[in-house]
Amino acid sequence: MTLPVFTSLSGGTQGVLFDDERQVLDDTVGYRGATACKVTGITYRQLDYWARTELVEPTVRGAKGSGSQRLYSFRDIVVLKIVKRLLDTGVSLQQIRSAVVALRVRGIEDLAQLTLMSDGASVYECTSQQEVIDLVQGGQGVFGIAVGRVWREVEGSLANLPEANGEAEAEEYPGDELSARRARRQQNVS
């Protein structure tokens, strides 16, 4: 049985894999590109390319001209880490694009309950343990990525790294990151 790229096998939940509570995320808190790169293990060049080609765009704040910086949400960083893992296992960028489109439409809770399986060519989404078993027994799944586990890894990595408030900086200094930095430096000196 051949399934199309990024196929959902059914609508179950994984229960025991993701029982623990996750923190409520603030949509205005973002992380700069350097932080996203450090957490995900990608280069800034990859991050920039993926943003420009709309593979994974920052949802807190996009770059708007010279001097502005992109701010990536927690969810963006989870998706970046998933993209990196899929690339590392040999999945084509075209297949990854299809998977990212499907990931974007999922809610936060749905995303954390998901396991991605791949045979190196196609990506499948599984939302129950039985789906994973069925896929492996059918010979289609070679490796899996438990999105909830990636979620926890990113959460742990970001715990001690700086975050930025996209709304506050955007209101004070719209599109001018350099002015925002100078003002913060002046406040710290005073």
Side-chain angles (χ1 to χ4, degrees):
M1 170 171 91
T2 304
L3 299 173
V5 174
F6 206 73
T7 302
S8 175
L9 299 176
S10 77
T13 60
Q14 287 185 339
V16 296
L17 292 178
F18 307 111
D19 276 347
D20 55 338
E21 295 283 325
R22 283 171 302 280
Q23 66 186 29
V24 176
L25 303 175
D26 182 355
D27 291 339
T28 64
V29 172
Y31 300 90
R32 299 192 191 292
T35 301
C37 290
K38 182 175 184 174
V39 169
T40 59
I42 62 174
T43 65
Y44 192 81
R45 178 176 249 161
Q46 285 174 304
L47 182 71
D48 183 55
Y49 176 74
W50 293 348
R52 285 186 292 112
T53 60
E54 301 176 353
L55 176 63
V56 181
E57 297 176 282
T59 57
V60 176
R61 185 175 69 212
K64 294 182 176 94
S66 178
S68 67
Q69 287 190 345
R70 298 178 184 107
L71 288 181
Y72 290 86
S73 70
F74 176 84
R75 179 190 173 119
D76 297 336
I77 294 174
V78 169
V79 172
L80 285 167
K81 192 162 183 104
I82 291 168
V83 168
K84 168 75 166 130
R85 287 198 177 165
L86 289 171
L87 276 174
D88 288 348
T89 57
V91 177
S92 73
L93 199 54
Q94 180 182 4
Q95 301 300 324
I96 292 171
R97 284 188 186 281
S98 298
V100 168
V101 167
L103 290 174
R104 282 185 188 149
V105 299
R106 291 188 161 276
I108 291 289
E109 290 304 312
D110 291 340
L111 188 63
Q113 300 294 328
L114 189 65
T115 298
L116 300 179
M117 298 293 292
S118 179
D119 55 8
S122 299
V123 179
Y124 308 93
E125 63 178 10
C126 300
T127 55
S128 74
Q129 293 171 356
Q130 188 58 47
E131 289 176 355
V132 172
I133 292 167
D134 291 346
L135 195 60
V136 172
Q137 285 179 341
Q140 290 168 316
V142 175
F143 68 90
I145 299 172
V147 178
R149 185 175 197 96
V150 174
W151 181 290
R152 284 288 176 222
E153 288 174 21
V154 170
E155 205 170 47
S157 297
L158 289 175
N160 297 319
L161 294 175
E163 57 186 43
N165 187 319
E167 285 183 357
E169 288 183 7
E171 290 170 8
E172 291 177 33
Y173 304 96
D176 190 357
E177 176 68 21
L178 185 57
S179 295
R181 284 184 187 175
R182 287 180 181 148
R184 282 193 302 271
R185 224 179 282 136
Q186 281 291 39
Q187 289 173 351
N188 292 337
V189 171
S190 302

